[in-house]
């Protein structure tokens, strides 16, 4: 390999380093792909629509009980369709999320008082 080829290879490596750093940063930011990755977006949006947390985009309360119920129903559908296919900890996680959301919904809709 000539000196010129070595210099070209060094230049290519320097160009790849920022790309590798960007990839490493993405891997640090993104959570692992698991069942909770499906559940948490619906759960979080339902919490916001129940008025239990502010909307992170607008920083305002965004209570919408109809939409909250729809999100809870979607999680119920997910539970129904995955029945018998979840690991015990996944099933427990989904059940806990649904229980919390349903109790909060019933409280907000004045079905029960906590």
């Amino acid at each position: 390999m000539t000196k010129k080829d070595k210099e070209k290879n060094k230049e290519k490596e320097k160009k790849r380093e920022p790309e590798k750093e960007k990839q490493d940063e993405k891997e640090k930011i993104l959570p692992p792909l698991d069942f909770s990755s499906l559940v948490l977006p619906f759960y979080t949006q339902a919490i916001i629509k129940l008025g239990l947390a502010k909307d992170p985009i607008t920083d305002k309360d965004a209570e919408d009980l109809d939409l909250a119920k729809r999100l809870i129903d979607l999680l119920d559908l997910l539970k129904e369709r995955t029945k018998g296919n979840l690991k015990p900890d996944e099933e427990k996680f989904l059940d806990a999320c649904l229980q919390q959301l349903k109790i909060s919904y019933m409280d907000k809709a004045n079905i029960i008082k906590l």
Side-chain angles (χ1 to χ4, degrees):
M1 190 178 270
T2 66
K3 188 175 182 180
K4 208 174 204 181
D5 290 336
K6 287 180 184 179
E7 287 176 14
K8 284 183 183 179
N9 284 340
K10 283 183 184 179
E11 287 179 31
K12 286 180 184 177
E13 284 300 316
K14 284 182 183 179
K15 288 180 182 178
R16 287 185 192 149
E17 284 177 16
E19 290 175 14
K20 187 178 181 205
E21 288 176 17
K22 287 180 185 178
Q23 182 65 29
D24 290 344
E25 286 178 24
K26 285 181 183 179
E27 289 174 4
K28 290 178 189 175
I29 295 171
L30 295 175
L33 286 176
D34 58 12
F35 184 71
S36 67
S37 298
L38 291 172
V39 175
L40 284 175
F42 294 111
Y43 173 80
T44 304
Q45 282 300 308
I47 289 290
I48 292 168
K49 295 307 174 186
L50 286 167
L52 300 175
K54 288 185 177 184
D55 186 321
I57 295 171
T58 63
D59 198 35
K60 295 181 182 177
D61 291 327
E63 189 173 299
D64 183 343
L65 294 182
D66 291 333
L67 185 51
K69 177 146 181 15
R70 180 68 171 202
L71 291 162
I72 294 167
D73 290 342
L74 282 169
L75 286 173
D76 260 333
L77 179 64
L78 181 65
K79 179 181 177 179
E80 178 187 315
R81 298 292 170 93
T82 58
K83 193 172 189 170
N85 293 314
L86 296 178
K87 296 176 186 170
D89 59 328
E90 294 170 337
E91 190 171 345
K92 188 176 180 180
F93 176 71
L94 181 55
D95 287 342
C97 289
L98 277 166
Q99 182 179 8
Q100 182 182 9
L101 291 173
K102 287 177 179 182
I103 288 172
S104 298
Y105 174 80
M106 289 189 291
D107 182 44
K108 289 284 186 171
N110 295 319
I111 296 169
I112 62 168
K113 278 295 173 195
L114 299 177

